[in-house]
Amino acid sequence: MNNSFFERKYIIQGIFIIAAFLLACRLFYLQIIDDSYILSANNNVLRKVVVYPARGVILDRTGKILVQNEPVYDLMVTPREVKPFDTLALCELIGIDKEGFDKRYQKAVNFSPYRASIFEKQLSAQTYARLQEKLFQFRGFYVQNRTVRSYPDSVAAQFLGYINEVTEKDIERSNHFYRPGDYIGVSGVERAYEELLRGQRGVQNLMVDAFNRPKGHFMDGKYDTLAVAGEGLVSSLDLELQKLAEKLMKNKRGSVVAIEPSTGEILAFASTPSYDPNMMVGRERGNNYMKLLNDPNKPMFIRPIQAQYPPGSVFKVVSALVAQQANMIDEHTRWNCPGGYSYGGGRGFMRCTHVHGTIDLPAAIQGSCNTYFGHVYARMIDQRKMKSTNAYSLWRDAVMKFGIAQELGVDLPNEKKGLLPTADFYSKRYGNDKWGSGYNISNSIGQGEVEITTLQMANIMAIVANRGHYFRPHLIKSIGEKKVVKKEFTEKISVDIDQKYFEPVIEGMSRVVKYNANIRIPDIEMCGKTGTAQNPHGKHHSVFFAFAPRVNPKIAIAVFVENVGYGATYAAPIASMMVEKYLKDTISMSKAVQERVLKESNLIVPDAPETTEQTTSKLSPTKRKIEKNVEYVRHSEVALINDTKKQTTENQIIQGR
Amino acid sequence: MNQTRKIYGGSVDWITVFIWLALCIIGWFNIRAAVFDPQHASLVSLSTNYGKQFLYIVVCLLVASAVMIIDGKFYNYISPLLYGITLLLLVIVLIVGRNVGGNQAWIPIGTFRLQPSEFAKLGACLLLARYLSSHSNKMPNLKTLLFGAFILFVPVLLIMLQPDTGSALTFFALTLVFYREGYVSGQFLSFAFVCIVLFILTLLFSQWYIIGALAILCALSIYMFKRSRKMIQSIVIGFIASSFFVLMVDFVYEHILQTHQRNRIDVILGKVDDPRGQGYNLNQSKIAIGSGQLFGKGYLQGTQTKYNFVPEQSTDFIFCTVGEEWGFVGSMVVVLLYVALLLRITQLAERQRSAFARIYGYGVASIFFFHFFINIGMTIGIVPVIGIPLPFLSYGGSSLLSFTMLLFILLKFDSNRKGVV
């Protein structure tokens, strides 16, 4: 037996132990000391998948759908998983060319070779159906469905607004609530009610295997959150009425606002020229958006709340109410109209449309007598036993209670205030506070510096209909399944005019409609008033505002059609049809008038964009100063120039007696 | 009667049997975890790896019993034949073998595949023990050493033709047998160790830096041992030899090693940082084990292994499942079981009266040690990736059977160690 090397077993055993010790040290380092591996492991396995909630659906007041969600399909790609395939076939299926394919693919690779990114957005259901059959040929591609907005009736574009992918700024502003790829309401109700409509994102913690295939939920979904769909909104719009409004306003520039006086709910909210809200959805969205943005007719301009016009005759209504409340006139106060109002010791003359003779308040409203309201205004400013600047301020405060020159607080973003200058403004303009009614007599008939939106005009009608109060006009009737109504919309706002002062005004307005066969509605006593907003830059704006019925009114309406000329050629018949449609669900107006209103010819004047801007934007202070000296002259001139035309038109259409 | 009791009772080394069984069971549970799919949770379906492994363990139990019944002398007599058969199989596999992952290492038999290289270890180990023991009454000499090495060289050559470098390298572990029997000296082991260190250093740094460092080291040593001419002589020879070796490393690395082997070495040395490409296996393996932390994620809760992040997770990388699901504690249990097994085997080997049994025992220990250290070391990134199984844990019938036979033949020798083999 030769076993002389037996002591070497200790060396060998020592080697075993040292080797094991080495392994143990390394294991200790990997598993106990170094924490980074647990993170890497989670990165390997966990994928946070955001579950997008469905955006809230918006209904009209009768439950018909205004906006809903429609499924679309995003084609996703994970470059690393892509195997060679027939690129041309895929290009053909989704309608792109090879170049487009390369560009998109490169973009995806740049984003991450290992993570899925959007290859092509918003494929239609048809494209998806065709693609799905062949998708197995394209390894690494898959389809993820999402929803987009869809507007079944293509109406109320400016009211509903649109959504868009969030920008960097949106993300920052929201404190990173939004993430790239999210959608956010940009205008209209979509923006105003964004917080309610967007719902709550859900997160799924999915585990994936080495091939990025989902393998179930982490910890059985313990850390997952469900997506909560956005709140549904019931709007105050009446879909049928809205459709009618948009139809009637076709090929015209202007706006229609109808309000339910007892609630302040807006029944119709038309702004033309308009666009199909479906244009702001889908793959052509970008192109369409640019098209709309560059359209000289500014279809994205929300006219009812953003276009500011000289109010014209509606102001006479307010003026009459304010003067009665101030005890400066009553319904029997009479003035003689010799065909105009002379002021400033005979230096100025504001023409009236007619020689009205001696008339009382209802007749002055009925006849829209400039002379009468010149006198009313002069009393309010010059004869109140106080400095006229103070008197003006008092008058202005009273007028402003009607919602003029202030935001009504409608539930849409970017509402314009309109304009009613302060006493200081005039003191500055004239260099001292010694001015009187003669210096801004045009205010008395709603011309000059005064500006108002169609919404404010409709709201004034609601105030008259309610005989002294209004509810904040709003577009969303109730929120969610519980039908929550915002508190600010239930608050009754008084204009501090006694109820009895409304009757003479309403009587005058009632007569306007009663004596006009074209706009009279059988069995319904509508009280309305035509207006003609003078526009020094082009044809006058046609205005009509009304409410009906006289007793227990159900609808107040204002129609503003730009640049279509005098009187109520268009505005009055449109309003009449709207009211009848709403109250009786029929239209009895003579076919001839209907056709004239609806005629296809385009009434949008070519130089219109400029006009709109000038009408709706305030003149710069310098410009005003220059015009100061010619002011007295201007009124007379304008009145003179337009006299002939105006007479004939108004006689034909309105006065028809 | 007495004889039977000896075989099945008292003199069987139950400690080893227990460790063997424990490792097999741990292996089975981890294989199940590695491929676990809750939708197909049946325990012994032959369509799953763990179902098959269960079958293999049962077969191994039967084979182990059979091994224990057969007379110990038989293995000595049969060893040349067994060696011949395994060589034949290694030749056959080169002809009819199935190529899996670049290695022609498997002979298909029905639905199963036989891996001859696993059994070649057994054949070579037995024949080497027989040959060396027949010369154990002489002083160790070079001729015996060379012939012993030749016994190992033939299967290594055949395995390299597959080519299965990992399995071939295993045979080098038997150097420990030659060491124990006195054929190679401690200096040789140290020399081998120095070579490995130099090899690594040369790959990490420029060869001229290494030679420069060696020169400084030698100069210092010469200064220290300036009185001993003999020392100076050997230092100079050592310097020349190691410089030559260093210069050779680059050549070997660039021209002899294959690309994937170079890559594996580069990854382990941190020369390339490519966790998605060449370093993917190792990186994922470290993530799996590292994320296990102290107590692991719990049985069947491992995500890295279950979801295929770790490649070969039931065979070569089975230790990842252990590390991920059982944590440091579980990993240490496995490591300690192996250490216990290795120490126990050396102990068994040392208590044999016959040289044959002792040499064979060291052969078994060397093979197990190599597999244990290289396999676990590779999963945690201290040795390059070499595809060899972890004994008793890795999935695979051939390796489980050959390791079991290796072990139980030793236990058989041990059970009648007092008799003459």
Side-chain angles (χ1 to χ4, degrees):
Chain A
M1 282 279 165
N2 186 336
N3 198 4
S4 46
F5 295 99
F6 74 93
E7 80 283 355
R8 286 192 173 181
K9 86 168 195 194
Y10 298 115
I11 305 281
I12 290 172
Q13 289 182 339
I15 291 173
F16 293 167
I17 290 169
I18 289 168
F21 182 70
L22 264 175
L23 295 178
C25 288
R26 178 69 174 167
L27 282 167
F28 187 78
Y29 173 76
L30 284 181
Q31 297 185 304
I32 311 285
I33 295 178
D34 195 336
D35 278 339
S36 67
Y37 292 103
I38 190 92
L39 201 75
S40 307
N42 286 342
N43 282 345
N44 265 344
V45 172
L46 287 184
R47 294 279 178 278
K48 272 193 190 307
V49 177
V50 175
V51 186
Y52 291 98
R55 219 175 150 79
V57 169
I58 306 177
L59 306 175
D60 91 330
R61 63 189 297 115
T62 60
K64 292 178 193 126
I65 290 167
L66 291 173
V67 192
Q68 61 189 6
N69 299 308
E70 196 173 70
V72 289
Y73 305 88
D74 289 346
L75 182 61
M76 311 291 287
V77 63
T78 314
R80 198 175 72 132
E81 290 168 18
V82 173
K83 297 266 152 41
F85 65 98
D86 185 356
T87 43
L88 272 181
L90 181 65
C91 289
E92 227 165 79
L93 276 170
I94 61 172
I96 57 171
D97 57 9
K98 182 78 174 56
E99 230 169 80
F101 176 88
D102 292 340
K103 217 172 83 191
R104 286 171 174 84
Y105 192 75
Q106 197 50 48
K107 202 175 147 200
V109 172
N110 290 346
F111 171 73
S112 163
Y114 304 97
R115 297 262 166 111
S117 59
I118 294 178
F119 186 78
E120 180 67 2
K121 262 186 231 176
Q122 303 186 359
L123 302 174
S124 68
Q126 293 91 320
T127 311
Y128 171 62
R130 266 182 289 139
L131 179 65
Q132 200 189 20
E133 283 173 28
K134 303 202 172 142
L135 203 59
F136 71 93
Q137 297 173 2
F138 313 123
R139 287 280 303 276
F141 288 88
Y142 71 97
V143 170
Q144 179 179 293
N145 62 335
R146 264 226 330 243
T147 57
V148 293
R149 294 306 236 181
S150 139
Y151 309 85
D153 285 292
S154 298
V155 291
Q158 293 90 347
F159 152 65
L160 295 168
Y162 58 92
I163 58 174
N164 195 6
E165 250 183 81
V166 289
T167 61
E168 279 297 318
K169 267 189 193 159
D170 292 327
I171 294 172
E172 255 166 53
R173 232 174 320 182
S174 71
N175 255 333
H176 292 264
F177 174 87
Y178 295 99
R179 306 210 190 108
D182 282 357
Y183 280 78
I184 186 172
V186 177
S187 78
V189 171
E190 297 276 20
R191 162 129 171 233
Y193 289 86
E194 167 68 16
E195 274 83 21
L196 296 166
L197 287 169
R198 68 188 175 197
Q200 248 173 50
R201 259 194 308 255
V203 171
Q204 290 184 342
N205 295 282
L206 286 185
M207 292 193 290
V208 296
D209 69 1
F211 307 103
N212 231 340
R213 291 178 301 213
K215 284 284 172 185
H217 294 252
F218 180 60
M219 302 284 282
D220 290 326
K222 198 169 150 193
Y223 299 107
D224 293 359
T225 51
L226 284 173
V228 181
E231 296 276 13
L233 300 180
V234 177
S235 91
S236 60
L237 282 195
D238 182 302
L239 180 61
E240 295 307 317
L241 195 63
Q242 176 74 18
K243 274 155 87 174
L244 177 67
E246 293 192 11
K247 186 175 142 202
L248 293 172
M249 290 297 286
K250 209 174 168 202
N251 295 327
K252 302 168 191 72
R253 191 203 313 276
S255 42
V256 176
V257 175
I259 297 177
E260 184 178 69
S262 58
T263 56
E265 290 167 8
I266 295 174
L267 302 169
F269 187 89
S271 173
T272 53
S274 186
Y275 62 92
D276 181 350
N278 288 309
M279 284 172 80
M280 299 299 282
V281 179
R283 293 164 76 187
E284 284 302 306
R285 183 192 185 286
N287 292 338
N288 289 336
Y289 180 74
M290 288 318 290
K291 225 189 284 170
L292 293 175
L293 209 60
N294 295 328
D295 188 331
N297 289 321
K298 299 194 190 312
M300 287 163 85
F301 190 51
I302 309 172
R303 286 169 203 279
I305 58 165
Q306 293 180 336
Q308 304 170 102
Y309 308 100
S313 305
V314 76
F315 221 68
K316 292 172 185 161
V317 172
V318 176
S319 188
L321 292 167
V322 169
Q324 287 184 84
Q325 183 70 30
N327 276 323
M328 299 308 286
I329 59 165
D330 61 32
E331 60 177 302
H332 305 299
T333 308
R334 287 164 177 268
W335 271 289
N336 176 43
C337 170
Y341 173 73
S342 78
Y343 57 93
R347 275 181 296 141
F349 187 71
M350 179 170 73
R351 288 208 69 125
C352 188
T353 52
H354 299 86
V355 179
H356 286 106
T358 304
I359 48 171
D360 61 0
L361 181 56
I365 293 280
Q366 182 197 353
S368 199
C369 179
N370 287 351
T371 313
Y372 191 94
F373 288 98
H375 284 294
V376 172
Y377 185 66
R379 267 201 192 175
M380 290 299 289
I381 304 301
D382 304 336
Q383 297 174 26
R384 296 194 72 180
K385 298 178 184 120
M386 58 175 84
K387 279 183 71 174
S388 53
T389 45
N390 293 346
Y392 177 82
S393 293
L394 275 181
W395 174 82
R396 183 173 181 271
D397 288 348
V399 169
M400 278 179 67
K401 289 207 172 120
F402 285 78
I404 293 167
Q406 55 181 324
E407 284 172 21
L408 285 173
V410 70
D411 44 354
L412 281 182
N414 304 324
E415 182 191 356
K416 286 280 193 299
K417 285 205 301 202
L419 180 67
L420 183 59
T422 59
D424 283 350
F425 171 86
Y426 291 111
S427 297
K428 242 180 221 162
R429 177 193 267 199
Y430 300 117
N432 58 55
D433 55 2
K434 303 264 187 307
W435 49 271
S437 67
Y439 285 70
N440 48 28
I441 194 69
S442 48
N443 285 353
S444 65
I445 56 164
Q447 296 288 152
E449 284 81 22
V450 191
E451 279 173 5
I452 193 174
T453 65
T454 314
L455 178 72
Q456 286 168 333
M457 205 184 286
N459 190 48
I460 291 168
M461 273 305 100
I463 294 166
V464 176
N466 286 337
R467 276 82 168 166
H469 67 267
Y470 70 97
F471 296 89
R472 232 178 270 282
H474 53 278
L475 288 152
I476 295 302
K477 196 172 145 86
S478 67
I479 297 160
E481 278 177 19
K482 291 181 190 156
K483 308 267 179 222
V484 179
V485 181
K486 278 193 172 180
K487 217 179 117 202
E488 66 245 48
F489 296 148
T490 57
E491 181 194 347
K492 194 167 166 177
I493 303 167
S494 170
V495 295
D496 298 332
I497 305 282
D498 296 346
Q499 200 176 331
K500 60 183 182 205
Y501 297 131
F502 283 90
E503 281 320 310
V505 175
I506 291 172
E507 174 56 28
M509 289 172 64
S510 172
R511 285 187 214 156
V512 169
V513 180
K514 207 180 287 173
Y515 297 123
N516 185 332
N518 280 339
I519 59 173
R520 215 161 34 215
I521 305 169
D523 307 330
I524 289 174
E525 186 175 359
M526 178 163 79
C527 307
K529 174 105 194 57
T530 48
T532 305
Q534 291 183 5
N535 173 14
H537 310 284
K539 279 181 103 180
H540 290 210
H541 305 316
S542 171
V543 188
F544 189 83
F545 47 93
F547 67 89
R550 180 171 178 169
V551 182
N552 199 8
K554 293 275 184 265
I555 180 170
I557 188 167
V559 178
F560 212 113
V561 190
E562 290 178 30
N563 311 112
V564 291
Y566 293 100
T569 333
Y570 292 99
I574 289 172
S576 168
M577 282 188 263
M578 295 277 296
V579 170
E580 191 176 9
K581 169 82 182 168
Y582 182 67
L583 295 177
K584 296 175 71 182
D585 203 22
T586 55
I587 297 173
S588 58
M589 184 173 291
S590 77
K591 283 275 179 276
V593 181
Q594 276 197 48
E595 266 164 33
R596 185 171 50 74
V597 170
L598 278 171
K599 73 179 171 191
E600 285 299 308
S601 71
N602 203 337
L603 288 169
I604 300 169
V605 292
D607 66 338
E610 218 183 322
T611 329
T612 314
E613 267 165 30
Q614 281 166 343
T615 319
T616 54
S617 70
K618 295 169 211 163
L619 296 169
S620 69
T622 35
K623 206 170 174 190
R624 285 189 187 284
K625 222 165 193 178
I626 297 163
E627 282 181 18
K628 170 181 117 181
N629 299 324
V630 295
E631 177 151 28
Y632 290 152
V633 190
R634 206 181 69 188
H635 286 302
S636 7
E637 267 181 356
V638 167
L640 269 172
I641 292 162
N642 296 322
D643 199 32
T644 354
K645 274 192 206 164
K646 196 172 186 177
Q647 291 255 358
T648 46
T649 329
E650 287 218 342
N651 278 338
Q652 280 169 2
I653 307 296
I654 310 291
Q655 315 229 311
R657 39 181 161 161
Chain B
M1 191 59 204
N2 196 20
Q3 184 84 2
T4 329
R5 228 182 63 91
K6 258 187 173 176
I7 293 168
Y8 296 106
S11 69
V12 172
D13 187 52
W14 289 110
I15 296 175
T16 313
V17 174
F18 169 77
I19 295 174
W20 168 79
L21 199 61
L23 288 172
C24 285
I25 290 168
I26 290 173
W28 185 81
F29 274 104
N30 281 295
I31 290 165
R32 180 161 177 266
V35 297
F36 185 69
D37 182 350
Q39 269 140 29
H40 307 94
S42 110
L43 285 184
V44 283
S45 157
L46 281 185
S47 64
T48 59
N49 280 1
Y50 52 89
K52 286 184 194 163
Q53 187 76 357
F54 184 80
L55 181 71
Y56 299 150
I57 293 174
V58 172
V59 168
C60 282
L61 269 170
L62 295 175
V63 170
S65 309
V67 165
M68 296 303 283
I69 291 166
I70 294 167
D71 190 276
K73 292 191 191 93
F74 173 74
Y75 302 108
N76 196 342
Y77 297 140
I78 201 82
S79 58
L81 181 64
L82 201 63
Y83 181 77
I85 291 171
T86 56
L87 288 190
L88 190 66
L89 285 173
L90 283 175
V91 172
I92 290 172
V93 79
L94 290 176
I95 301 161
V96 302
R98 183 176 299 169
N99 196 318
V100 178
N103 293 351
Q104 192 155 335
W106 286 273
I107 299 172
I109 304 169
T111 57
F112 296 91
R113 295 182 308 196
L114 187 76
Q115 197 179 358
S117 55
E118 295 297 337
F119 296 99
K121 291 167 199 164
L122 176 61
C125 199
L126 275 173
L127 190 67
L128 182 70
R130 180 187 159 112
Y131 175 72
L132 291 185
S133 62
S134 67
H135 292 73
S136 62
N137 47 359
K138 297 182 213 150
M139 277 302 284
N141 59 47
L142 189 65
K143 195 183 142 209
T144 321
L145 170 66
L146 286 179
F147 192 78
F150 180 73
I151 291 173
L152 303 181
F153 176 72
V154 179
V156 166
L157 184 75
L158 289 170
I159 291 170
M160 283 305 284
L161 288 175
Q162 293 179 359
D164 181 359
T165 322
S167 295
L169 282 174
T170 312
F171 289 84
F172 287 93
L174 293 167
T175 313
L176 283 179
V177 175
F178 291 111
Y179 171 69
R180 167 63 184 85
E181 293 305 310
Y183 289 95
V184 296
S185 63
Q187 278 130 319
F188 179 81
L189 285 189
S190 319
F191 175 70
F193 181 72
V194 168
C195 281
I196 292 169
V197 171
L198 277 179
F199 185 82
I200 292 169
L201 286 175
T202 312
L203 291 181
L204 282 176
F205 307 103
S206 156
Q207 48 190 353
W208 302 112
Y209 286 150
I210 305 295
I211 291 172
L214 283 173
I216 294 167
L217 209 64
C218 288
L220 283 174
S221 319
I222 289 168
Y223 179 74
M224 273 176 68
F225 300 104
K226 57 190 168 197
R227 301 228 176 105
S228 161
R229 177 172 282 271
K230 212 179 160 190
M231 263 322 252
I232 294 171
Q233 220 169 31
S234 47
I235 287 167
V236 170
I237 291 168
F239 172 71
I240 292 167
S242 46
S243 297
F244 180 72
F245 179 78
V246 166
L247 290 172
M248 283 297 291
V249 164
D250 249 9
F251 177 78
V252 171
Y253 181 74
E254 292 295 339
H255 299 285
I256 307 237
L257 289 185
Q258 289 173 317
T259 315
H260 72 273
Q261 292 165 332
R262 267 204 301 277
N263 290 339
R264 287 170 179 181
I265 292 172
D266 284 347
V267 166
I268 205 85
L269 294 179
K271 282 175 81 178
V272 292
D273 184 23
D274 182 14
R276 294 282 182 187
Q278 295 155 14
Y280 179 79
N281 290 8
L282 176 60
N283 189 48
Q284 294 300 337
S285 163
K286 286 200 302 200
I287 288 173
I289 294 170
S291 66
Q293 301 192 306
L294 183 57
F295 292 110
K297 295 176 186 167
Y299 185 55
L300 297 181
Q301 302 302 311
T303 50
Q304 306 301 301
T305 44
K306 199 160 61 176
Y307 297 146
N308 299 321
F309 287 95
V310 181
E312 307 288 340
Q313 72 268 44
S314 58
T315 54
D316 294 349
F317 283 89
I318 188 67
F319 191 72
C320 293
T321 313
V322 178
E324 186 182 15
E325 296 194 345
W326 303 98
F328 182 69
V329 172
S331 305
M332 283 315 293
V333 166
V334 170
V335 168
L336 290 176
L337 278 174
Y338 277 112
V339 174
L341 181 67
L342 290 171
L343 296 181
R344 187 66 191 165
I345 291 172
T346 49
Q347 221 164 353
L348 293 185
E350 287 295 344
R351 76 184 186 191
Q352 301 306 312
R353 279 166 63 192
S354 82
F356 173 70
R358 181 183 72 236
I359 296 168
Y360 175 75
Y362 271 100
V364 173
S366 312
I367 291 170
F368 282 3
F369 169 68
F370 187 82
H371 277 264
F372 153 70
F373 181 71
I374 298 295
N375 181 285
I376 295 183
M378 130 189 126
T379 62
I380 56 182
I382 53 176
V383 295
V385 173
I386 295 168
I388 54 171
L390 188 57
F392 312 119
L393 261 73
S394 285
Y395 165 75
S398 301
S399 68
L400 184 64
L401 193 60
S402 72
F403 286 130
T404 302
M405 283 165 75
L406 272 171
L407 186 64
F408 275 86
I409 289 172
L410 177 66
L411 288 183
K412 174 65 196 173
F413 294 158
D414 183 62
S415 71
N416 55 1
R417 62 183 179 270
K418 284 171 187 113
V420 179
V421 180

